[in-house]
Amino acid sequence: MRALVLLVLLVCLSVGCVAQRPRPCTSPPLLTGSLSVSTQNEKLGAFAKYTYDALGQRIRLREFGSYNNKTFHLDVLLLYREGVMYKINYRNQTCCKKRLNRCFHPLAIPHNASLLGQAVLGSSSGPGQGVLVNTWTGQLQMRNKTASSTTCWGCLILNSSSHRISVTTPSWKKRKGKSQPPSTACSRRFL
């Protein structure tokens, strides 16, 4: 009898632990915020404010930055349902309408993402003094590898970085009858 009670307690404890495991999430459908973008070679640096509407599948970006040491200002309204993009230029007082042939991708952690870990930003010595953060890694639909940090409650994206995965077939694989690469084929671009 005692073994049965211990077994039931162990099962309940394990179910409780599994239920508390963080799961990939989707950000709230209506958001406003700001972001910054920079490239590794420092050719591009930009700061933007955004308005995100997942219900209407709309995004508005108001951005300024520098590309190749030239400054730019950009105001773009992306209407994914209508397939239209409006580019607004306040300096010239013009509005350019373009076709938008991209799919709407909601702000979310991919379903196949892996949890790297949890951390508390701020103090964890008192209740409500820190923010519990989940850090995820995964692959987006656009073949981009991504790592994102989100708040545990609300799924607000705090930090996200991504890079494109390019698949290159080495020339030695295309040759018939040769299974080993030539000694010069192992260059940095294949590593």
Side-chain angles (χ1 to χ4, degrees):
M1 183 68 175
R2 187 177 249 193
L4 182 62
V5 169
L6 185 62
L7 180 66
V8 169
L9 273 170
L10 185 63
V11 168
C12 289
L13 182 63
S14 64
V15 166
C17 289
V18 170
Q20 292 180 9
R21 197 168 129 220
R23 289 180 173 60
C25 56
T26 302
S27 288
L30 301 171
L31 285 175
T32 59
S34 59
L35 60 97
S36 64
V37 177
S38 63
T39 57
Q40 193 171 11
N41 60 9
E42 298 180 4
K43 286 186 177 182
L44 171 69
F47 301 95
K49 291 193 175 205
Y50 68 88
T51 306
Y52 169 80
D53 177 9
L55 302 174
Q57 294 186 354
R58 302 178 293 191
I59 298 175
R60 180 158 187 199
L61 290 168
R62 291 173 304 279
E63 182 175 18
F64 69 93
S66 171
Y67 180 72
N68 282 338
N69 291 327
K70 294 181 182 175
T71 59
F72 65 88
H73 299 275
L74 189 64
D75 191 349
V76 178
L77 178 60
L78 305 166
L79 304 174
Y80 288 92
R81 276 198 188 142
E82 292 82 7
V84 175
M85 174 179 82
Y86 293 99
K87 195 172 179 181
I88 303 164
N89 187 334
Y90 292 107
R91 186 178 298 164
N92 299 343
Q93 295 186 349
T94 59
C95 179
C96 178
K97 180 180 177 180
K98 293 185 178 180
R99 195 169 136 211
L100 182 64
N101 55 0
R102 301 276 185 216
C103 295
F104 180 77
H105 295 283
L107 290 176
I109 301 299
H111 293 292
N112 61 351
S114 301
L115 180 69
L116 290 178
Q118 284 188 323
V120 175
L121 294 180
S123 174
S124 61
S125 61
Q129 292 183 357
V131 177
L132 184 59
V133 174
N134 294 328
T135 302
W136 303 90
T137 183
Q139 188 169 337
L140 298 172
Q141 297 170 347
M142 302 168 289
R143 289 182 37 166
N144 287 349
K145 192 87 169 158
T146 183
S148 298
S149 296
T150 64
T151 57
C152 189
W153 295 280
C155 196
L156 300 174
I157 296 177
L158 301 174
N159 186 359
S160 185
S161 63
S162 65
H163 67 276
R164 181 171 286 289
I165 300 170
S166 59
V167 179
T168 307
T169 304
S171 60
W172 58 269
K173 282 191 174 183
K174 295 177 187 174
R175 296 184 204 152
K176 291 185 178 181
K178 292 194 177 190
S179 60
Q180 295 295 322
S183 59
T184 60
C186 189
S187 64
R188 288 199 179 271
R189 62 187 177 141
F190 297 122
L191 296 177

